[in-house]
Amino acid sequence: MKIKYFFYSALRLIESYLLALRYFFVYWWWTAGRILFGAHKDSFNKDAFTLGAWCFRRMLESLGATYVKMGQIMSTRPDIFPPFLIDELKLLQDHVPPFDSALIPGEFILAFGKKPSEIFEKFNETPIASASVAQVHEAYLKTGERVAVKIRRPGMKQKVDYDLAVMRIFAKSISFIPTVAITSPVESVEEFGKAIQGQLDLRNEAENNRRFQEKFKGNAFVRFPKLYEDYCSENILTMEFVVGYKVEDVGKSNCSPELLARHGLHAIFQMIYRDGFVHADLHPGNILFQDGNVAVYLDLGMVAELTDHHRERFIEAFMAMANNDGKTVARLMADYSPTPHKIKDWAAYERDVAAHISQYFSKPLNEIEISVGVGKMVNILRKHRVRVDASYTVVNVALLVAEGMGRRLYPQINLNQELYPFLSELFQEMMRRRTAKAAASKAVASPPPAN
């Protein structure tokens, strides 16, 4: 096994370097063509930054499933990577052919000691979705329920372990390049590796599903797929087959777009600010709408958990923004950063943040776009080399998805008008807790005099 691991890792490392070298030459070939023949030529119409991002995406696609998944996770981190790279990485798709259906019975025997025919009345061997980590099949239980069966790719866990080992070596070898070092490549590989490995054990997704079910059990407008617990394991997840409308098809339903938008915003607010348990892979493809103004959230393999400290910081930051208090926002953003010592000119950093907050929040609420505000704030943080905690990025991405979906469903929706009352209530609760805690500490420190 060790010899196999060594040779596989060595070959993958060599392949990584060769592909990097290949796209290095592609980059300079296209750059030379742009200089010599002009940008009007279709082959040379990419600027230097866009071309570099394109080369990086193509390299990831050439390296395969693990690298594609890594790139997809990277695309959710605008605090680390520049916009031109984020935009390119968002184009990464899981164009992964399905694995051989002859391997499916072995996966079921490994998980449950039974073949699919012993569990299901009908099992469609042609997947309805195929991605880098797993693929999904339609099936019917013996009791008649229609289910979606998610099966991890055979050997995927070992392959990811090998590829992550190669990525660590590759990241260390390029970390000496100044422009690359800013992104902390070694630390980033570790962070993204944990996210990938968390998705490999489908029991994690099942547990996330249970937690979401519990937190939203009193909400009639938010649902998560029902699990069939007897047929959930590390490599197989069996859940209800959800039928619904995508955001672009809501007009064909009996739903109210306004109510869907408002309920969706409030669900994401609850995840972020009240529960601290956030769906970290939110995009339109992972949300289906059903009659009755119900939203069903899918693909729960990647989540972010926020501590009470994080949530309070987020609430404080938003309230400071609403009060046009740029200095407090600058301080809170720096507090989120794992590397605050890299802020070389604090006064300039504070001025930039304060100017942005002042300009942004001087507009009427209905003219404010969270996506624009967050994007400019991230650019300021990157300019001053302030790298924020990963949880901050998850919150931003969730809010951007919420705003985007809300505007597509009901363009008149105002995210700030929906969010401010919600956060005001939580802010008051937070201040009452702090006041009570301070009073209790004071009472302990100053006991009443003895008679």
Side-chain angles (χ1 to χ4, degrees), residues 18 56 120 233 329:
L18 289 177
F56 184 68
F120 303 106
S233 69
V329 175

Side-chain angles (χ1 to χ4, degrees), residues 221 223 241-247 249-250 260 283-290 293-298 405:
F221 304 104
R223 287 189 59 238
F241 194 101
V242 177
V243 178
Y245 301 94
K246 293 183 178 181
V247 64
D249 298 323
V250 165
L260 286 179
H283 58 75
N286 281 342
I287 306 175
L288 291 177
F289 301 101
Q290 297 179 328
N293 302 310
V294 176
V296 186
Y297 293 81
L298 311 173
M405 290 281 286

